[in-house]
Amino acid sequence: MKIYDWHTGPYPARVRIALAEKNLQSRVQFVSVDLWKGEHKKADFLVKNYSGTLPVLELDDGTYIAECTAITEYLDSLDGNVILTGKTSREKGIIHMMSKRAELELLDAVSVYFHHATPGLGPDVEIYQNAEWGFRQRDKALRGMHYFDSVLSNQPFVAGDTFSMADITVIGGLIFAGLVDLPVPAECEALKAWYARMQERPSVKNRITMSEQARASV
Ligand code: GTS
């Protein structure tokens, strides 16, 4: 399998974390797509993912799977031992809901803020910007942080008692927030404590160097 991604990207981080949690690093080859040069908007990449975003998983038969949630679901069920996306129908439903909520209320909002209200990836890539929309999404992301703080005040993980894809999505949101200097508000103590715990997980800690390690073992 191949993963098209960018080593420091917050969305790519989601798949890198999932790969490590599943211990699948040695099964993939990473292909670097330079976001800062706009390689993800070029015709040869758009054939792989119409949306022009990273990451993309390429299967050995040439099938492309884009979207972090879809890739995570694929990887999680590969070995028949589902650990990230829910074993029972109830778990699946809650994890999917919380992960989607983490996209809507946090990660995607931070991303819109980055692309619209900051220089983003630079003038060659950011062909349309709407700063007002960007700042609204920044405020939405801050509200999202308060929401996840309240969730994590009552349970150890985003979707309940165990680590799941929903935690990975919130981690992606906080990675992106860190890159754009949008700190977690001081009063969000439960969210901050949870994030400190998450950063101790090897899958989160080693995500950026993972592509070098994988290259060495392929
Ligand atoms: N919904 C997509 C998913 O879940 O995979 C979003 C993917 C996404 O936005 N990826 C970012 C991207 O390609 C990568 S990164 O910013 O996290 O590194 N952004 C480039 C762009 O021009 O939107």
Side-chain angles (χ1 to χ4, degrees):
M1 296 183 284
K2 285 184 186 158
I3 302 274
Y4 297 83
D5 83 352
W6 181 247
H7 58 299
T8 55
Y11 289 87
R14 292 171 60 189
V15 165
R16 286 170 172 238
I17 294 166
L19 278 169
E21 293 287 342
K22 294 292 294 181
N23 204 14
L24 286 169
Q25 302 96 307
S26 62
R27 299 262 306 268
V28 300
Q29 224 183 325
F30 286 89
V31 182
S32 190
V33 179
D34 194 333
L35 288 171
W36 298 92
K37 291 187 181 152
E39 287 177 0
H40 58 302
K41 301 298 182 198
K42 302 268 160 62
D44 61 335
F45 184 77
L46 296 177
V47 173
K48 299 176 176 62
N49 178 14
Y50 170 80
S51 301
T53 56
L54 301 173
V56 176
L57 171 69
E58 182 181 349
L59 306 184
D60 293 340
D61 69 1
T63 304
Y64 295 112
I65 301 179
E67 295 298 323
C68 293
T69 302
I71 297 170
T72 305
E73 284 174 348
Y74 176 85
L75 295 173
D76 197 23
S77 59
L78 254 190
D79 59 1
N81 178 31
V82 170
I83 56 168
L84 298 173
T85 56
K87 289 192 201 322
T88 65
S89 300
R90 184 180 181 279
E91 284 170 2
K92 281 182 199 300
I94 291 175
I95 290 168
H96 202 112
M97 171 183 73
M98 293 306 281
S99 182
K100 184 68 188 172
R101 196 170 280 169
E103 290 182 341
L104 289 171
E105 308 297 338
L106 181 59
L107 173 57
D108 291 352
V110 177
S111 176
V112 174
Y113 166 62
F114 170 69
H115 289 290
H116 286 273
T118 80
L121 294 170
D124 294 341
V125 183
E126 309 294 354
I127 48 180
Y128 169 75
Q129 291 194 296
N130 181 332
E132 192 198 344
W133 178 236
F135 284 119
R136 278 176 185 253
Q137 294 297 305
R138 178 199 60 187
D139 296 346
K140 180 179 186 181
L142 290 171
R143 286 194 300 276
M145 288 181 193
H146 281 97
Y147 167 70
F148 285 107
D149 180 62
S150 69
V151 169
L152 290 160
S153 303
N154 294 313
Q155 59 194 40
F157 297 97
V158 173
D161 290 333
T162 53
F163 181 85
S164 74
M165 174 170 71
D167 293 280
I168 299 178
T169 311
V170 177
I171 292 167
L174 294 190
I175 290 172
F176 214 153
L179 292 175
V180 296
D181 288 331
L182 203 60
V184 176
E187 64 273 21
C188 294
E189 284 174 15
L191 180 60
K192 284 167 80 162
W194 165 89
Y195 193 38
R197 272 197 292 129
M198 293 301 105
Q199 283 170 311
E200 288 306 310
R201 292 180 85 90
S203 62
V204 179
K205 218 191 267 183
N206 303 326
R207 67 184 188 277
I208 292 174
T209 52
M210 175 184 289
S211 38
E212 289 146 36
Q213 290 156 6
R215 226 187 335 268
S217 59
V218 169

